[in-house]
Amino acid sequence: PCRRACHFFTSAVQTERLGPVHLFRRLSRSAMTPVRTLMSSAVPPDEPKTDTASGAEPAKAPEDASETSADSSADSFEKSGPEQADPADMDDATIRVRLLDAALNKVPEHGWTVGALSAAAVSIGLSPAAHGMLPRGPIELVRHFSSACDAKLQAELVSKADEFESLEVKNRLVLAMQTRLRMLEPYVATWPQALALKAQPTNVSESLSDAHALASLLLDACGAGARAPIAPAAIDAHLKCASLAAVYGAAELYMLTDKSPGFSDTWLFVEREVGALHSLVSLNPAAAIGSVFQRRS
């Protein structure tokens, strides 16, 4: 076929001066002639034999075993778990949540990056470019993780309400902070990236809002004993939240450099700082807030 095509090409160019399109069509027909001849002369497959006793024909095998195998593989892929459900059956909000949830599993490998979002999109059956559904990029993943951790903390505080009732205010706060910090353990190696994203000018306002929401949860965990005013009513709750956010933020930074087994040094740090804050509030409420921020700086 190759020699025949080359001969045809040479003669056509020299004698007929065909255009490119016509030349390609005639070249294709000429080159495929020997192939068609060979295929037509091939021995046809054996006809299925009829069972003379029953008169029934045996079941035919699939025409293309590879297609059957591919179809069964696709079915098993779609049914392998909830992550493989068809995204076409969901609305955009649901797909975004699933994409963010799947991306959290990719963070230890890819960090808080677009790469984690792309890998997560592939894992749920979407195109790698589906990360465009999150126009703000990885910061949406960071905020999704933080809000999920806050929700989990709130659920644990509700489930352990009886246990917290028997503790002092200081111990309640220590336990609540430790519970929230333990949620960061799988992501400690990459959490500096998340903090850098939070500190970007376009994200600062939302980061402060998230920090205030977490501090409010920690304040609620302290119970009624922490509601005694230490400042004018208009600013009392805000000052308390700012103090708790400062202590928690310092513990989070300490945890990033903690190499002790099981982050034991971090838990001691939390106990020490919460104890100092409790002592300052008990002795001199007016000076407590300023002292906390001075220690953090």
Side-chain angles (χ1 to χ4, degrees):
C2 294
R3 287 198 299 270
R4 182 183 179 91
C6 292
H7 174 73
F8 174 80
F9 178 81
T10 304
S11 62
V13 171
Q14 292 177 351
T15 60
E16 301 184 29
R17 299 173 181 253
L18 296 175
V21 176
H22 294 85
L23 180 60
F24 176 77
R25 290 176 179 172
R26 293 188 60 181
L27 178 60
S28 300
R29 289 197 297 270
S30 176
M32 288 299 295
T33 299
V35 178
R36 294 193 186 98
T37 303
L38 180 62
M39 293 178 63
S40 62
S41 63
V43 179
D46 295 337
E47 294 294 332
K49 297 181 179 180
T50 304
D51 190 351
T52 56
S54 62
E57 294 185 357
K60 294 182 179 180
E63 294 181 359
D64 192 342
S66 62
E67 290 184 2
T68 305
S69 176
D71 293 341
S72 62
S73 298
D75 293 340
S76 63
F77 178 79
E78 292 177 357
K79 299 175 183 178
S80 61
E83 281 195 357
Q84 305 301 340
D86 188 1
D89 298 334
M90 305 178 224
D91 56 19
D92 289 348
T94 304
I95 293 176
R96 281 194 293 268
V97 172
R98 286 195 58 217
L99 178 59
L100 290 169
D101 288 339
L104 291 178
N105 296 327
K106 307 297 181 181
V107 167
E109 179 181 358
H110 298 279
W112 303 88
T113 62
V114 173
L117 298 175
S118 297
V122 173
S123 71
I124 62 173
L126 299 175
S127 165
H131 67 80
M133 298 183 68
L134 306 171
R136 298 187 60 199
I139 186 60
E140 296 194 46
L141 179 59
V142 175
R143 297 199 68 209
H144 175 75
F145 171 71
S146 296
S147 62
C149 289
D150 291 349
K152 186 176 179 180
L153 173 63
Q154 186 174 21
E156 290 203 23
L157 293 177
V158 172
S159 64
K160 297 179 179 179
D162 295 338
E163 179 181 344
F164 272 70
E165 285 294 333
S166 60
L167 299 177
E168 297 180 355
V169 172
K170 178 180 70 173
N171 294 332
R172 292 180 187 179
L173 181 57
V174 168
L175 183 58
M177 283 193 176
Q178 289 181 352
T179 301
R180 181 60 172 82
L181 287 169
R182 289 185 188 279
M183 299 178 190
L184 293 180
E185 289 185 7
Y187 306 98
V188 165
T190 58
W191 193 243
Q193 294 178 349
L195 295 180
L197 289 170
K198 286 184 173 185
Q200 290 182 1
T202 55
N203 303 327
V204 167
S205 61
E206 292 178 340
S207 299
L208 292 176
S209 176
D210 293 343
H212 185 273
L214 174 56
S216 298
L217 281 177
L218 297 175
L219 183 60
D220 291 340
C222 295
R227 296 192 180 95
I230 60 174
I235 61 173
D236 181 70
H238 298 292
L239 289 176
K240 290 176 180 177
C241 286
S243 301
L244 297 180
V247 173
Y248 179 84
E252 198 172 83
L253 292 175
Y254 192 97
M255 188 177 186
L256 298 182
T257 59
D258 186 3
K259 305 300 181 182
S260 62
F263 299 99
S264 57
D265 289 348
T266 299
W267 314 140
L268 292 175
F269 176 85
V270 170
E271 293 178 8
R272 183 170 63 250
E273 294 301 314
V274 169
L277 177 62
H278 185 264
S279 299
L280 288 171
V281 170
S282 300
L283 296 175
N284 189 357
I289 306 302
S291 176
V292 167
F293 284 100
Q294 182 178 4
R295 291 168 63 86
R296 300 288 70 74
S297 61

